[in-house]
Amino acid sequence: MSTPAPVGGAASVGRSLARAVQRVTAAPLGAYQSAVVRIGVSATCLLFLLRELPHRHELYGPDGPWSWDMARRLITNNDAFTVLMWSDSTAWFETVYALTLVSAALLMTGWRTRATSVVFMVGVLSLQNRSIFMGDGGDNVIHLMAVYLVLTRCARVWSLDARRASRETACLAEGGRPPRDVAGPVLWVVLGCVLLPATFMEGLGGTWWLPSLLWVLWLGNGVRWVLVRRAPDHELRAFLDVLANLAHNATLFVIMAEVCLIYATAGWYKIQGSRWQDGTAVYYPLKLDYFTPWTGLSGLVASSALLVMVLTYATVIVQVAFPFTLFNRRVKNVLLVLMIGEHAGISVLLGLPFFSMAMIAADAVFLPTVFLLWLEGRVLLGRRLLFSRTAGRLRLPGQRRAGQDDEEALRGDGSGGHTLVG
C-alpha cells in the first residue's frame, strides 16, 4: 500500500504558493529598478535626438540615403510600424521628431507616465523603423525597452506622478477632496482621437498586437480614472490594479531575461572567434580611426599587450558568466559593477556613448534596492544641505538659518546618538 502524503507538507506548499501569488499581484516589484530603467532609457534617447538634431533629415527624414519609397517597400514586406509612412511631407517628419523629443523628456521626469510612455514608444518605433540601418547597437536596446516600459508601472518613485499621488493621498487623509484633474482627461481624449482613425485607416502596421495593446491601455486607463474619482473602493479597481501589477512584474522579468540573453549570446559568439581566443580582439578597434575619439588614450591602451589580453578575456568571462551569477547576490553585484565599468570604458575609448548609456540603463534592472535607497538618501541629503546653505546666506542678522534643525538632525547631535544618513 502506498503511504499518503503528509497533510502538513501539502499545507506548507499551499501557503508558499499563496504567498507567491500574493507577492506578484499585490504590488509592483522593483519599483526603484524600473524607475532607473525609465530614466536611463528616456534620457539616452533624448540626448541622442538632441545631438542629431542638425542631422535629423539625413538620418530619418527626407534627405536620407534610405528614401521614403524604399522604406515603404521594406515595411510592406516586414509589417513594421512607423507613423512616418503616413506622409512623406517634411512638416509631418518634424512633428514626429518633436513629439518624440518631448515624450522622452516627459517620460524621464515621470509626467503622466502611462500616456507619455505610449507616445515615446510610438516615436522610437517610428524613427527607427523608418531607417533601420541607422544605429550602433544601442538603438536595438532602446527599441525593446520602449515597448517594455509601456507595460510597467515605472513611475511609482522618482517621478512627478509619484509626487502628485502622494499629495492626493495626503489630501484624502485630511478629509479633503483631491484636486481637479484636467490634464489627464484632455490627454486621454486627444490620444483617443488619434488612435481611432489610425486603427480604422490601417495606420498601425500589419501586426495585431500593437493596435490591441494601444486599445487595451487606452480603455483601461479611462476606466481606472473614472473608478479612482467616482468609486475608489469598487472591486473593479482592485481587479485592474492586480492586472497592472501582473503585467509590470512579468515585464520586469522579461527585461531581466532580455539583458541576460544579450550578454549570453554576445559572450558565446565571442568565444567562437579566434581573436577572442588568442586575446587580441580588443586591439583592433583601438586602431580604427572611426572608433578612436581619443587617439592618445587608445594608443596607450593598445601599446600594452598584457592590458589588451586582460581586457579581452575579462570581457568574455563577464558576459558569459553573468546570467549564471543571478543565483548569488554578491557575485552578481560584483559582475554588475564590472559590466557597467566595461560600458563606461567603451563610451570613452570607442566613442559609443549612447550605446553604453542604453546598456547601462538596461543593466540597472539588476541594481540592489539597498544601493538605490542609499543613493536616494545621498541625493536628498545633498539637496537639503545645498538649499539650507543658500537660504542661510540670505538670512537676516540674528535670524535662525533656514533648515538648520534638519541639518543638525541629519548630521547628529554629537552626543553619541544615531545619525540619519538617508
Side-chain angles (χ1 to χ4, degrees), residues 182-242:
V182 178
V186 171
L187 191 60
W188 187 79
V189 171
V190 170
L191 292 178
C193 293
V194 176
L195 180 60
L196 186 64
T199 302
F200 289 101
M201 295 178 64
E202 299 182 353
L204 298 179
T207 59
W208 62 269
W209 67 268
L210 183 60
S212 301
L213 173 64
L214 295 179
W215 276 110
V216 167
L217 291 172
W218 188 75
L219 293 173
N221 280 275
V223 172
R224 189 180 187 279
W225 185 90
V226 172
L227 292 174
V228 169
R229 295 289 168 173
R230 304 299 180 185
D233 298 328
H234 198 279
E235 294 180 355
L236 182 57
R237 182 193 172 185
F239 176 70
L240 292 177
D241 284 337
V242 167

Side-chain angles (χ1 to χ4, degrees), residues 68-341:
W68 189 85
D69 291 330
M70 296 171 66
R72 183 180 59 180
R73 289 198 296 268
L74 178 62
I75 289 172
T76 302
N77 295 328
N78 62 13
D79 292 330
F81 165 75
T82 170
V83 299
L84 290 177
M85 291 295 100
W86 294 2
S87 173
D88 61 349
S89 68
T90 303
W92 177 239
F93 167 75
E94 298 287 4
T95 301
V96 173
Y97 199 93
L99 285 176
T100 307
L101 272 172
V102 172
S103 64
L106 294 177
L107 182 62
M108 182 177 63
T109 58
W111 183 84
R112 306 288 174 176
T113 310
R114 186 67 74 182
T116 53
S117 64
V118 173
V119 179
F120 177 73
M121 178 191 70
V122 170
V124 168
L125 297 184
S126 298
L127 292 176
Q128 293 188 358
N129 289 336
R130 166 63 177 84
S131 300
I132 61 174
F133 300 106
M134 300 296 176
D136 53 13
D139 57 310
N140 294 328
V141 178
I142 299 295
H143 188 112
L144 293 171
M145 296 302 162
V147 178
Y148 295 152
L149 285 175
V150 172
L151 300 174
T152 63
R153 309 185 76 172
C154 54
R156 307 285 287 187
V157 296
W158 298 348
S159 68
L160 296 178
D161 287 347
R163 176 180 294 184
R164 186 179 69 254
S166 64
R167 290 176 178 175
E168 291 180 356
T169 302
C171 184
L172 292 174
E174 295 174 357
R177 298 184 61 183
R180 185 181 179 184
D181 186 12
V182 178
V186 171
L187 191 60
W188 187 79
V189 171
V190 170
L191 292 178
C193 293
V194 176
L195 180 60
L196 186 64
T199 302
F200 289 101
M201 295 178 64
E202 299 182 353
L204 298 179
T207 59
W208 62 269
W209 67 268
L210 183 60
S212 301
L213 173 64
L214 295 179
W215 276 110
V216 167
L217 291 172
W218 188 75
L219 293 173
N221 280 275
V223 172
R224 189 180 187 279
W225 185 90
V226 172
L227 292 174
V228 169
R229 295 289 168 173
R230 304 299 180 185
D233 298 328
H234 198 279
E235 294 180 355
L236 182 57
R237 182 193 172 185
F239 176 70
L240 292 177
D241 284 337
V242 167
L243 291 181
N245 292 335
L246 280 173
H248 169 91
N249 295 330
T251 305
L252 206 62
F253 176 79
V254 171
I255 293 175
M256 294 179 179
E258 191 76 46
V259 174
C260 291
L261 183 62
I262 290 174
Y263 284 119
T265 53
W268 286 107
Y269 271 109
K270 286 182 175 64
I271 288 178
Q272 302 176 42
S274 59
R275 300 306 180 193
W276 292 96
Q277 294 175 6
D278 60 26
T280 61
V282 173
Y283 172 84
Y284 298 98
L286 295 175
K287 290 298 182 178
L288 296 176
D289 293 336
Y290 188 78
F291 292 108
T292 53
W294 310 97
T295 308
L297 181 60
S298 300
L300 180 63
V301 175
S303 63
S304 173
L306 177 60
L307 182 58
V308 168
M309 183 184 66
V310 170
L311 291 177
T312 301
Y313 286 144
T315 300
V316 177
I317 293 172
V318 169
Q319 291 183 354
V320 173
F322 179 74
F324 301 100
T325 63
L326 298 182
F327 303 101
N328 189 303
R329 182 176 302 177
R330 293 183 178 179
V331 178
K332 182 264 295 182
N333 291 338
V334 171
L335 288 189
L336 188 60
V337 172
L338 293 178
M339 287 195 304
I340 292 176

